Amino acid sequence: MTDETYAEAAEAPQLSDAPLSMDELAKVIARDIPEGSFVNLGIGQPTKIADHLPAELGVILHTENGMLGMGRKAEGDEVDADLTNAGKVPVVETPGCSYFHHADSFAMMRGGHLDVCVLGAFQVAHTGDLANWSTGKPGDIPAVGGAMDLAIGAKDVFVMMSLFAKNGEAKLVEACTMPLTGVGCVSRVYTDHAVFDLGPDGATVRETYGITLAELRERVAVELH
Amino acid sequence: MTDETYAEAAEAPQLSDAPLSMDELAKVIARDIPEGSFVNLGIGQPTKIADHLPAELGVILHTENGMLGMGRKAEGDEVDADLTNAGKVPVVETPGCSYFHHADSFAMMRGGHLDVCVLGAFQVAHTGDLANWSTGKPGDIPAVGGAMDLAIGAKDVFVMMSLFAKNGEAKLVEACTMPLTGVGCVSRVYTDHAVFDLGPDGATVRETYGITLAELRERVAVELH
Amino acid sequence: MAKTSILETADEAVAGIEDGSTVLVGGFGLAGMPFDLIDALIRQGAKDLTIVANNAGNGEVGLAALLKAGRVRKVLCSFPRQVDSYVFDELYRAGEIELEVVPQGNLAERMRAAGAGIGAFFCPTAVGTPLVEGKEQRTIDGRDYVLEYPIKGDYALIAAHTADRLGNLVYRKTARNFGPVMATAATTTIAQVSNVVPTGELDPEAVVTPSIYVDRVVQVEARHYTVQGAR
Amino acid sequence: MAKTSILETADEAVAGIEDGSTVLVGGFGLAGMPFDLIDALIRQGAKDLTIVANNAGNGEVGLAALLKAGRVRKVLCSFPRQVDSYVFDELYRAGEIELEVVPQGNLAERMRAAGAGIGAFFCPTAVGTPLVEGKEQRTIDGRDYVLEYPIKGDYALIAAHTADRLGNLVYRKTARNFGPVMATAATTTIAQVSNVVPTGELDPEAVVTPSIYVDRVVQVEARHYTVQGAR
């Protein structure tokens, strides 16, 4: 990190008076998704992002259960048990969509062909390590699904999460304490309080919502550039 | 090899007064291809076998350039530059055929899904080693095509060849002197003079054509059971 | 593989599955789940099975019913814990079933390797996570990989949309999922389909599973379920 | 990959290919050979190319013309020597072109690995032959394998039958051959097609190459050749 980018980052704009709702955050992420890109939106909060991607942007959604060009949630008569997203929710087609089997679908992902993948997270380390599949509590039934494949599979892996856990602890951490999903894989973290770029040198604040950089530094126990 | 099978083999029937022509040999091989099996016929002489497989036998031909259910050579108006066999000869479809790309086609082969593959050969060792891609002469341009994939890719690999080279030497040998295509891969060798089963214990004569077992033993420099 | 058999009943289709078999079961959640074949397998009685599937059953139908019947010793899957996977959850907590969790893409690629004659492959997924403990690792061209081995099945039970009488298969929408991969990875592949059409009626350009991968086909009434409370 | 460009001419389609690039060229013999893209590449002038293709050219069209123009430093292929490969043969005998012979299935699987993010794979093909000299070998479950590495392209030039305006592709009969695999293995994939149709006209179940793998498309008049004296 050069002094110049440090100086820039130090002035990360506070773009809102209050923390963002998850819907507002979805809109912020949608804004950053380039025209015509191929995107996988993880199960849970990230699916909201689709609502903020206008058709004319030409973003094409991948769902790892075997489809490119996935459309919105199916309503009423549109529901077809043979057409669901990765969260097993019935969805619709978009024009120009295509179907493929699971090995081809994950080859597409693992081969680095997707531009962006947005995932939820329990913890993200400032070096990009991701923990989002297991809390590590004894007795939990382990279940990973496509999380580890997604974590290493897109050119850019974004995380969408609340910055603080219910107990007030920041989920952007020096080192994950929960079992890892992937190492050094996250390039950007979108949270209700701030957006961070991650890299080998650590976390850089891009913008904040309802919190000052000073407050952020106080509550997040990692060095923030 | 047990004494019993040795005794049986020692009485390998002489089924013809004269060596077979390649067309007659093709007919013999066709007779041994089980009903409904999936078969790849190598470039050259083995393609003749197709002429002796009646449609009601339900044998399905694979061509490694991406088709299952390949039909006969195309004639006249049937010629379509987009539909050829592995020898680049235009062919026709059969009902129920399917197309796939090269990685899928060779996965089908390498994965052991084909029942029988019939290949030509320069030399075959009595342990099943195959040499059929390069004479090893200096200055020759090496070219292997699908030979090595085919050699290891079917449940049974049959060889179809003349038993003797132009110089009179047997092509069924103790050990191949030409560069190998595959190791221990050939299970049966069909020649104009005799048919041999190969295995870890060596060659067993199944039947002969216009030659006695004694004569065969004289001219072929490997132990024949 | 030999000629495909077109059978009259799901019971004939699952005949001969031995105790202790490894059975690949298609479907992602309930889409593409071969319900009729699983029901027939329950009637058939084979036990001590190892099941390879993406999930470990939903509600009490399909795979969940097989688990409930006590026929399964071990499950290899990517995502056992779902909103309606209570049958598996109880068996697992009671120590009555073994579980091997495999990342979803590795599950697919390991079966693809089995079908394609690949001995093992270096895969970047899960490097640095608890799921690769004890596995061979290697850095190739600056990237870290884990060596993964094929998953081969004795049987595959899959659901497709239409078969012709040779056994060529096409699927429908995302119900395609694991079917085509599992068909290549099992010694004996058994497909339930909604339609059987005369040979020659499927477009050769659109066949997804060529007949070589299919041993037995049975036509059944389409049954559809959706996951209750799916996220 | 970013949005697919639908271009007017083959010259626009091959713009920017740098000297020294590795270019994957589709086709098995002449079926599926992207003639117009290769002709445009000759006009474009990139030299010192490494070409990955099944054959090393037939007659004096397509790949053979590119070789004849002296633009190719090295060829990776399975079967250079054909009845009508005299352009390659002369260059090779004159020591003016390098050759790496790769078994046909390994050529396909190594490109598939490149496209699928596999670091390397253990392959049974060619074990015990001169083509594996110096390669890492391993016995797995009693069978011998050789470790094979991905082949990645900077560009892929392929021919397909029809594209929609998003860049989804379908092929025709055995002209499909290497196209779908090469499309996944190159940084930039350029397809010549006989038809471009409005988005939504291709059957989603029958798309062979999804648009994500296709960067540039150009529509050209279909040209067909057959190999002279093919065996």
Side-chain angles (χ1 to χ4, degrees):
Chain A
M1 173 132 300
T2 65
D3 286 349
E4 202 169 80
T5 55
Y6 184 94
E8 245 182 287
E11 290 159 40
Q14 184 171 333
L15 290 184
S16 151
D17 287 345
L20 302 187
S21 68
M22 280 295 144
D23 261 335
E24 290 167 328
L25 188 58
K27 200 168 173 178
V28 167
I29 300 173
R31 174 203 68 189
D32 289 351
I33 290 180
E35 187 179 343
S37 51
F38 293 90
V39 176
N40 185 300
L41 301 176
I43 291 172
Q45 299 293 354
T47 58
K48 289 188 201 296
I49 298 164
D51 301 337
H52 302 284
L53 294 169
E56 56 274 23
L57 200 62
V59 167
I60 294 181
L61 298 182
H62 172 258
T63 181
E64 60 266 33
N65 51 321
M67 183 185 197
L68 207 58
M70 180 183 72
R72 59 173 170 72
K73 201 176 155 179
E75 311 276 356
D77 285 353
E78 293 170 340
V79 170
D80 178 338
D82 284 344
L83 178 50
T84 74
N85 67 14
K88 285 141 196 160
V89 176
V91 293
V92 300
E93 296 185 339
T94 63
C97 69
S98 57
Y99 297 104
F100 28 82
H101 62 58
H102 248 76
D104 279 351
S105 184
F106 282 82
M108 191 180 282
M109 190 186 286
R110 193 189 312 106
H113 304 283
L114 295 171
D115 297 297
V116 177
C117 167
V118 187
L119 298 172
F122 298 146
Q123 292 180 322
V124 181
H126 69 140
T127 52
D129 292 358
L130 171 67
N132 79 345
W133 73 285
S134 164
T135 58
K137 276 189 217 135
D140 263 17
I141 297 177
V144 67
M148 292 183 181
D149 311 273
L150 286 158
I152 58 104
K155 291 187 191 107
D156 273 304
V157 175
F158 295 167
V159 157
M160 176 184 189
M161 66 178 190
S162 59
L163 182 53
F164 301 106
K166 282 178 192 151
N167 65 5
E169 279 180 29
K171 292 154 72 177
L172 178 65
V173 295
E174 188 72 21
C176 296
T177 54
M178 291 178 189
L180 289 187
T181 309
V183 176
C185 55
V186 177
S187 55
R188 192 176 291 168
V189 182
Y190 291 89
T191 75
D192 46 354
H193 289 86
V195 179
F196 307 88
D197 275 333
L198 304 189
D201 298 318
T204 305
V205 181
R206 283 173 68 90
E207 53 195 51
T208 64
Y209 316 114
I211 194 168
T212 65
L213 201 54
E215 289 169 317
L216 204 56
R217 289 206 164 107
E218 209 162 285
R219 296 188 61 190
V220 176
V222 303
E223 193 182 352
L224 296 177
H225 302 302
Chain B
M1 172 134 302
T2 65
D3 285 351
E4 201 169 82
T5 56
Y6 184 96
E8 242 181 291
E11 289 159 41
Q14 184 171 333
L15 290 184
S16 149
D17 287 344
L20 302 187
S21 68
M22 279 296 142
D23 260 337
E24 289 167 328
L25 188 58
K27 202 168 174 180
V28 167
I29 300 173
R31 175 203 67 191
D32 288 352
I33 290 180
E35 188 179 343
S37 52
F38 293 90
V39 176
N40 186 299
L41 300 175
I43 291 172
Q45 300 292 354
T47 58
K48 289 188 200 297
I49 298 164
D51 301 337
H52 302 285
L53 294 169
E56 56 275 22
L57 201 62
V59 168
I60 294 181
L61 297 182
H62 172 259
T63 180
E64 60 266 36
N65 51 318
M67 182 185 198
L68 207 59
M70 179 182 72
R72 60 173 169 71
K73 201 176 153 178
E75 311 276 356
D77 284 356
E78 293 171 340
V79 170
D80 178 338
D82 284 344
L83 178 49
T84 74
N85 67 14
K88 285 141 197 160
V89 176
V91 291
V92 301
E93 296 184 339
T94 63
C97 68
S98 57
Y99 297 104
F100 29 82
H101 62 58
H102 248 77
D104 279 350
S105 183
F106 281 83
M108 190 179 284
M109 190 185 288
R110 195 189 312 106
H113 304 283
L114 295 171
D115 296 296
V116 177
C117 167
V118 186
L119 298 172
F122 298 145
Q123 292 181 322
V124 181
H126 68 141
T127 51
D129 293 359
L130 172 67
N132 79 346
W133 72 285
S134 163
T135 58
K137 278 188 217 138
D140 263 17
I141 298 175
V144 68
M148 292 182 180
D149 311 273
L150 285 159
I152 57 102
K155 290 184 193 113
D156 272 304
V157 175
F158 294 167
V159 158
M160 176 186 190
M161 66 177 189
S162 58
L163 182 54
F164 302 106
K166 281 177 193 154
N167 66 6
E169 278 179 30
K171 292 154 74 178
L172 178 63
V173 296
E174 187 73 24
C176 296
T177 55
M178 292 178 188
L180 289 186
T181 308
V183 175
C185 54
V186 177
S187 55
R188 191 176 292 168
V189 182
Y190 290 89
T191 76
D192 45 355
H193 290 85
V195 178
F196 308 88
D197 276 333
L198 305 188
D201 297 317
T204 306
V205 181
R206 282 174 69 89
E207 53 194 50
T208 65
Y209 315 114
I211 194 167
T212 65
L213 201 54
E215 289 170 318
L216 204 56
R217 288 203 164 110
E218 209 162 283
R219 295 188 62 188
V220 175
V222 303
E223 192 182 352
L224 296 177
H225 303 303
Chain C
M1 311 227 171
K3 212 165 176 171
T4 307
S5 308
I6 311 287
L7 300 164
E8 291 299 312
T9 67
D11 294 283
E12 290 169 83
V14 302
I17 298 183
E18 305 84 2
D19 291 354
S21 297
T22 294
V23 184
L24 317 178
V25 178
F28 178 79
L30 297 167
M33 170 85 67
F35 297 107
D36 295 78
L37 294 178
I38 296 172
D39 289 350
L41 181 57
I42 295 171
R43 292 191 293 273
Q44 191 260 9
K47 55 184 191 295
D48 210 22
L49 302 171
T50 294
I51 297 292
V52 182
N54 190 63
N55 305 102
N58 304 82
E60 300 193 15
V61 295
L63 196 45
L66 184 69
L67 296 181
K68 197 173 179 188
R71 307 295 171 71
V72 180
R73 186 179 63 75
K74 182 176 177 182
V75 174
L76 273 87
C77 74
S78 85
F79 208 78
R81 188 194 62 224
Q82 301 167 91
V83 287
D84 57 355
S85 62
Y86 52 89
V87 171
F88 171 82
D89 297 1
E90 280 169 29
L91 287 168
Y92 180 79
R93 290 190 203 284
E96 287 173 16
I97 199 160
E98 248 185 277
L99 170 67
E100 181 178 335
V101 172
V102 180
Q104 197 170 331
N106 289 11
L107 198 66
E109 188 68 11
R110 289 173 65 185
M111 288 191 278
R112 193 242 171 217
I118 300 298
F121 59 93
F122 284 104
C123 182
T125 307
V127 167
T129 78
L131 292 192
V132 304
E133 271 167 28
K135 295 192 176 189
E136 179 176 340
Q137 298 194 38
R138 186 180 294 198
T139 305
I140 299 169
D141 260 348
R143 190 168 196 197
D144 296 332
Y145 296 88
V146 176
L147 191 62
E148 294 287 352
Y149 292 90
I151 299 175
K152 212 170 167 48
D154 298 307
Y155 295 89
L157 306 186
I158 63 173
H161 187 248
T162 302
D164 67 16
R165 298 196 67 84
L166 282 185
N168 290 301
L169 302 181
V170 296
Y171 301 80
R172 197 164 164 276
K173 303 185 188 281
T174 58
R176 183 184 303 197
N177 59 65
F178 281 94
V181 186
M182 290 178 168
T184 71
T187 307
T188 301
T189 292
I190 307 168
Q192 69 168 61
V193 300
S194 304
N195 312 283
V196 176
V197 298
T199 297
E201 281 201 8
L202 293 179
D203 177 1
E205 305 279 6
V207 167
V208 174
T209 296
S211 59
I212 194 170
Y213 293 119
V214 184
D215 297 277
R216 307 178 196 169
V217 168
V218 61
Q219 184 176 340
V220 300
E221 291 273 313
R223 276 201 267 171
H224 290 300
Y225 302 91
T226 48
V227 175
Q228 292 308 307
R231 291 169 301 167
Chain D
M1 310 228 172
K3 212 164 175 169
T4 306
S5 308
I6 311 287
L7 300 165
E8 291 299 312
T9 67
D11 294 285
E12 290 170 82
V14 302
I17 297 184
E18 304 86 0
D19 292 354
S21 296
T22 294
V23 184
L24 318 179
V25 178
F28 177 78
L30 297 167
M33 170 83 68
F35 297 108
D36 296 79
L37 294 177
I38 296 173
D39 289 350
L41 181 58
I42 294 171
R43 291 192 294 274
Q44 191 258 12
K47 55 184 192 297
D48 212 22
L49 302 172
T50 294
I51 297 292
V52 182
N54 190 61
N55 305 102
N58 303 79
E60 300 193 14
V61 295
L63 195 46
L66 184 70
L67 296 180
K68 196 174 178 188
R71 306 295 171 68
V72 180
R73 188 177 62 75
K74 182 177 177 180
V75 174
L76 273 88
C77 74
S78 86
F79 209 76
R81 188 193 63 224
Q82 299 167 92
V83 287
D84 58 354
S85 62
Y86 53 87
V87 170
F88 171 82
D89 297 0
E90 281 169 29
L91 287 167
Y92 181 78
R93 290 188 203 283
E96 286 173 14
I97 199 160
E98 249 184 279
L99 169 66
E100 182 178 336
V101 172
V102 180
Q104 196 170 332
N106 289 12
L107 198 67
E109 188 69 11
R110 289 173 64 186
M111 290 191 277
R112 194 246 171 212
I118 300 299
F121 59 93
F122 284 104
C123 182
T125 308
V127 167
T129 78
L131 293 191
V132 304
E133 272 166 25
K135 295 191 175 189
E136 179 176 342
Q137 300 193 37
R138 185 181 295 199
T139 305
I140 299 168
D141 259 349
R143 190 169 194 195
D144 295 331
Y145 296 88
V146 176
L147 190 62
E148 295 287 350
Y149 291 90
I151 298 174
K152 210 169 169 46
D154 298 308
Y155 295 88
L157 306 185
I158 64 172
H161 189 249
T162 302
D164 66 16
R165 298 197 67 85
L166 283 184
N168 290 302
L169 302 181
V170 296
Y171 301 80
R172 196 165 163 276
K173 304 186 187 277
T174 58
R176 184 186 301 198
N177 58 67
F178 282 94
V181 186
M182 290 178 168
T184 71
T187 308
T188 301
T189 292
I190 308 169
Q192 68 168 62
V193 300
S194 303
N195 312 282
V196 176
V197 298
T199 297
E201 283 203 5
L202 293 179
D203 176 1
E205 305 278 6
V207 167
V208 175
T209 296
S211 59
I212 193 169
Y213 293 119
V214 184
D215 298 277
R216 306 177 196 168
V217 168
V218 61
Q219 184 176 340
V220 300
E221 291 274 313
R223 274 201 269 172
H224 291 301
Y225 302 91
T226 48
V227 175
Q228 291 308 306
R231 290 170 302 168

